[in-house]
């Protein structure tokens, strides 16, 4: 990994090496005469940019007290022009407990340690199945990892010599009042981490009270550049609806937003993703868990992929929703797949 910014933080501006010139949909947008950096006011080009051919100049006032950091993963064309994403909803039954503090109206997360080995084995079996089923990018839901899961995932990827799985968005782990997710390469290298910024507010029917997730907020937002893929950011659940964060990944010209969630409703998230596709040309991949839903609902949302479609010099959104499987199917083998092509043709497979 190589750091690509920020540089020169003492003044009014921050400097970043420009994102890869060739990103996943660059040819499609060029053919349609679409210039994404002019799509929104948040991306207003700085007058200084013309003086720095290799740098993007960002006004600090646009960053809303966040601290974007960019790294480059030197694996050009890591993903083919048509690659497969696998969403792993993981399980119908919750594998952790929420601990309520009635006085401060907060909640924390604790895991079932007795079942940790079985839990981790299920995660590893699903990642193995992803590689067997030609999945190139896998994503798991929020809070899926217990304190030992990350090390076991990394060991699996390092030792398995997977042929197809290139990127693993691990889902998140709740530890030390932090909700943290990781992007790991198919060879077991940690490429970035993300600490949740926006706490979840949960309504408890039994006590008829709202409780706020007790997390320690940090201001770092990490991006990863991969030539031929573009700029990637990884968020957790309600982060996607935060207006300041939306501004950040607009200013930083993100191409892909991956989101691990554990929520009973994704309506606002879907609206945000649809706007980001049409206004900014951003592809959003969100993976939710069946365990976050009421299983007696007619439709149980476990994720979606929203891709930009360019035609007649305009961008529209393609929305691909994923719903809960039939009850007889096993959670330990459930992977929902979608093919994403750089010509804008996407399809559930």
């Amino acid at each position: 990994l190589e750091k690509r910014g920020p540089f020169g933080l003492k003044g009014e501006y921050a400097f970043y090496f420009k994102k890869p010139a060739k990103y996943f949909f660059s040819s499609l947008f060029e053919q349609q005469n679409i210039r994404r950096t002019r799509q929104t006011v948040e991306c207003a080009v700085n007058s200084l940019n013309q003086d720095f051919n290799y740098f993007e100049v960002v006004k600090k006032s646009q960053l809303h007290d966040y601290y974007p950091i960019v790294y480059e993963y030197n694996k050009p064309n890591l993903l083919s022009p048509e690659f497969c994403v696998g969403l792993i909803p993981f399980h119908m039954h919750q594998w952790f407990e929420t601990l309520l503090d009635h006085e401060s109206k907060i909640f924390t997360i604790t895991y079932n340690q007795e079942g940790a080995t079985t839990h981790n084995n299920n995660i590893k079996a699903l990642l193995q199945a992803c590689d067997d089923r030609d999945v190139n990018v896998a994503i798991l839901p929020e809070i899926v990892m217990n304190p030992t899961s990350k090390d076991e995932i990394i060991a699996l990827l390092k030792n398995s010599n997977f042929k197809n799985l290139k990127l693993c968005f691990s889902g998140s782990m709740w530890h030390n009042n932090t909700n943290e997710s990781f992007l790991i390469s198919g060879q077991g290298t940690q490429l970035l981490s993300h600490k949740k910024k926006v706490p979840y507010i949960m309504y408890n029917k039994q006590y008829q009270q709202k409780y706020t997730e007790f997390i320690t907020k940090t201001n770092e937002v990490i991006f990863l550049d991969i030539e031929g893929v573009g700029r990637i950011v990884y968020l957790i659940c309600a982060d996607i609806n935060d207006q300041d964060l939306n501004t950040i990944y607009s200013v930083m010209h993100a191409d892909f937003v991956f989101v691990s969630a554990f929520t009973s409703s994704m309506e606002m998230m879907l609206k945000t993703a649809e706007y980001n596709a049409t206004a900014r040309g951003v592809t959003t991949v969100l993976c939710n868990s069946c365990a976050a839903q009421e299983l007696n609902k007619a439709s149980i949302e476990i994720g979606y992929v929203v891709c930009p479609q360019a035609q007649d010099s305009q961008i529209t959104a393609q929305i691909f929703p994923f719903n809960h499987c039939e009850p007889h199917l096993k959670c330990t083998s459930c992977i929902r797949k979608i093919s994403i092509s750089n010509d804008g043709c996407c399809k559930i497979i």
Side-chain angles (χ1 to χ4, degrees):
L1 290 176
E2 179 183 347
K3 189 173 181 181
R4 306 286 286 175
F7 308 105
L9 288 174
K10 294 184 178 180
E12 182 182 351
Y13 300 94
F15 298 82
Y16 297 84
F17 278 106
K18 289 184 176 179
K19 58 175 277 185
K22 293 297 180 182
Y23 53 92
F24 195 69
F25 289 118
S26 58
S27 295
L28 177 64
F29 290 154
E30 287 169 7
Q31 290 169 8
Q32 293 294 325
N33 297 314
I34 293 171
R35 301 181 67 191
R36 290 176 56 216
T37 56
R38 307 302 194 271
Q39 290 291 101
T40 63
V41 293
E42 295 98 331
C43 293
V45 174
N46 223 296
S47 60
L48 288 177
N49 280 338
Q50 59 187 347
D51 298 321
F52 297 87
N53 290 331
Y54 301 104
F55 289 91
E56 193 72 36
V57 185
V58 178
K59 285 186 177 180
K60 292 182 184 177
S61 60
Q62 294 177 306
L63 301 180
H64 301 285
D65 296 323
Y66 282 110
Y67 182 72
I69 302 173
V70 179
Y71 292 96
E72 181 184 41
Y73 184 40
N74 189 21
K75 293 285 185 180
N77 303 311
L78 177 71
L79 300 177
S80 64
E82 181 176 352
F83 68 90
C84 177
V85 176
L87 284 73
I88 306 174
F90 193 68
H91 215 285
M92 291 188 294
H93 304 291
Q94 192 165 302
W95 54 89
F96 60 89
E97 294 182 18
T98 53
L99 304 180
L100 305 179
D101 186 320
H102 301 295
E103 183 177 349
S104 57
K105 302 297 186 295
I106 62 173
F107 74 87
T108 56
I109 298 293
T110 184
Y111 293 94
N112 175 11
Q113 294 304 312
E114 291 182 0
T117 299
T118 300
H119 183 90
N120 289 340
N121 287 340
N122 288 340
I123 293 175
K124 291 187 290 184
L126 283 160
L127 293 177
Q128 177 67 61
C130 282
D131 191 65
D132 294 341
R133 300 181 197 177
D134 301 323
V135 170
N136 307 120
V137 179
I139 180 169
L140 291 115
E142 181 182 14
I143 321 178
V144 71
M145 293 193 297
N146 61 45
T148 61
S149 299
K150 177 190 168 188
D151 289 342
E152 294 207 24
I153 290 172
I154 288 176
L156 171 74
L157 296 173
K158 281 184 176 180
N159 298 324
S160 296
N161 194 27
F162 284 165
K163 295 181 179 180
N164 297 307
L165 187 61
K166 305 299 182 183
L167 296 172
C168 173
F169 292 83
S170 70
S172 71
M173 170 175 61
W174 218 96
H175 64 115
N176 299 325
N177 297 331
T178 301
N179 193 340
E180 186 173 15
S181 59
F182 305 91
L183 171 56
I184 305 168
S185 76
Q187 290 76 42
T189 300
Q190 180 179 317
L191 302 177
L192 65 77
S193 64
H194 174 77
K195 294 180 179 178
K196 190 176 184 181
K197 312 303 180 191
V198 181
Y200 181 69
I201 299 175
M202 174 185 67
Y203 179 75
N204 185 284
K205 292 180 180 179
Q206 179 182 353
Y207 298 104
Q208 298 184 354
Q209 292 282 351
K210 289 182 178 179
Y211 296 83
T212 301
E213 182 181 10
F214 184 61
I215 54 175
T216 303
K217 183 177 178 180
T218 65
N219 66 347
E220 289 186 355
V221 183
I222 301 177
F223 296 82
L224 185 70
D225 286 352
I226 305 175
E227 185 70 36
V229 178
R231 182 162 289 174
I232 296 169
V233 64
Y234 190 11
L235 305 178
I236 301 175
C237 205
D239 287 349
I240 190 176
N241 291 330
D242 182 75
Q243 186 57 50
D244 287 347
L245 272 175
N246 269 272
T247 299
I248 294 303
Y249 61 75
S250 175
V251 168
M252 299 302 295
H253 309 312
D255 300 293
F256 285 91
V257 176
F258 287 83
V259 186
S260 290
F262 192 95
T263 178
S264 59
S265 175
M266 297 191 296
E267 183 178 356
M268 285 302 298
M269 297 179 181
L270 181 57
K271 289 181 179 179
T272 300
E274 186 175 2
Y275 174 79
N276 285 334
T278 56
R280 298 164 176 160
V282 173
T283 298
T284 300
V285 178
L286 185 145
C287 181
N288 195 18
S289 174
C290 295
Q293 307 282 334
E294 296 180 11
L295 295 181
N296 59 356
K297 286 168 53 177
S299 176
I300 301 174
E301 301 171 320
I302 59 168
Y304 58 74
V305 174
V306 181
C307 297
Q309 173 63 60
Q311 189 172 6
D312 299 327
S313 299
Q314 298 293 323
I315 300 179
T316 57
Q318 302 178 85
I319 302 173
F320 300 89
F322 293 86
N323 292 322
H324 174 60
C325 294
E326 296 297 323
H328 67 277
L329 295 177
K330 293 183 179 180
C331 298
T332 50
S333 61
C334 182
I335 302 168
R336 314 304 293 278
K337 294 165 50 177
I338 183 169
S339 170
I340 301 178
S341 173
N342 65 3
D343 63 3
C345 294
C346 306
K347 59 183 178 181
I348 294 176
I349 55 179

